[in-house]
Amino acid sequence: QFCGYSNVLNFAPEIFAQAGFGNNSSLKSTLLLGGVKFITTVIVLWKIEAVGRRCLLLTGMSLISFSLLLLSLAFLGDEVNSGLALAGAVGVVMGYASSFGPLTWLITSEMFPTAIRGRSLGMSTVVTYICASIVSYTFLSGQSLLGQSVPFGVYCVITLLSTLFAAVSIPDTRGRSPLEIENEMKTMWMWRNNHG
């Protein structure tokens, strides 16, 4: 949630108004983001088994990071670059719809052992909603206090760090048993140091 996706989608009319698009353009841009999200999600669901969960996750997270950088640059300074803002917003939505959106619950359900899966997914849900609330609550006040560009920059740094974490800790779970997933995790840098 700290990638700021929910803010890009929820505050799209305000973001596009800040970028210099008119009220009618803001509605069209919001519809554009919804269409991009739908089409990307359909393609991901269609190709998830062929491409692999880990590849989609890391690629989508990288796209989100790059797109947040574009949004941050778009709102940097006195003049807002509407082209960068539009490209950044579309990129965040595409990245999210190809990674966190469809894969968060799928990968976590495959990684958690059966004995704790229900409780773990429940806790993950609670943490996700708390984080989403914090991000949504602080976005406009963060822009007002720190400048329009800064929240996007913060989200970009957090997403970059999350991408690095995912690269060293999340295996591809496609077609693997829980034991195979656990054995692969033991070879990954993050978990290798935590297993005797």
Side-chain angles (χ1 to χ4, degrees):
Q1 294 302 319
F2 285 113
C3 72
Y5 160 79
S6 57
N7 288 344
V8 171
L9 210 57
N10 294 337
F11 295 107
E14 291 190 41
I15 292 170
F16 287 109
Q18 291 170 358
F21 294 97
N23 287 337
N24 291 338
S25 295
S26 294
L27 178 60
K28 290 176 186 175
S29 299
T30 302
L31 292 173
L32 170 68
L33 295 181
V36 166
K37 178 181 176 184
F38 175 77
I39 291 167
T40 304
T41 301
V42 168
I43 292 169
V44 166
L45 292 175
W46 179 41
K47 291 293 186 181
I48 193 169
E49 293 302 325
V51 177
R53 292 140 172 76
R54 179 179 161 84
C55 178
L56 284 170
L57 182 68
L58 294 176
T59 302
M61 292 172 76
S62 298
L63 178 57
I64 293 169
S65 297
F66 178 73
S67 300
L68 287 166
L69 176 63
L70 293 180
L71 277 167
S72 186
L73 293 173
F75 288 98
L76 193 62
D78 296 333
E79 295 271 332
V80 177
N81 185 322
S82 57
L84 279 181
L86 180 61
V90 168
V92 168
V93 170
M94 284 181 71
Y96 190 89
S98 64
S99 61
F100 291 129
L103 298 176
T104 299
W105 306 114
L106 176 61
I107 291 174
T108 54
S109 71
E110 292 174 338
M111 286 180 65
F112 287 126
T114 307
I116 64 165
R117 186 171 296 151
R119 288 186 303 257
S120 300
L121 290 173
M123 183 57 76
S124 297
T125 303
V126 169
V127 170
T128 295
Y129 284 114
I130 289 170
C131 293
S133 297
I134 292 168
V135 169
S136 293
Y137 182 75
T138 59
F139 177 66
L140 292 177
S141 58
Q143 278 195 319
S144 151
L145 185 64
L146 304 170
Q148 293 176 323
S149 174
V150 174
F152 298 117
V154 170
Y155 302 150
C156 179
V157 170
I158 291 170
T159 306
L160 280 172
L161 293 173
S162 298
T163 304
L164 292 174
F165 174 79
V168 300
S169 65
I170 298 178
D172 195 351
T173 58
R174 170 182 48 166
R176 296 192 176 156
S177 71
L179 182 59
E180 291 171 323
I181 293 168
E182 183 180 348
N183 286 336
E184 183 175 344
M185 286 177 70
K186 289 177 185 177
T187 67
M188 301 187 84
W189 182 84
M190 176 61 89
W191 311 119
R192 183 175 54 230
N193 297 327
N194 293 321
H195 284 76

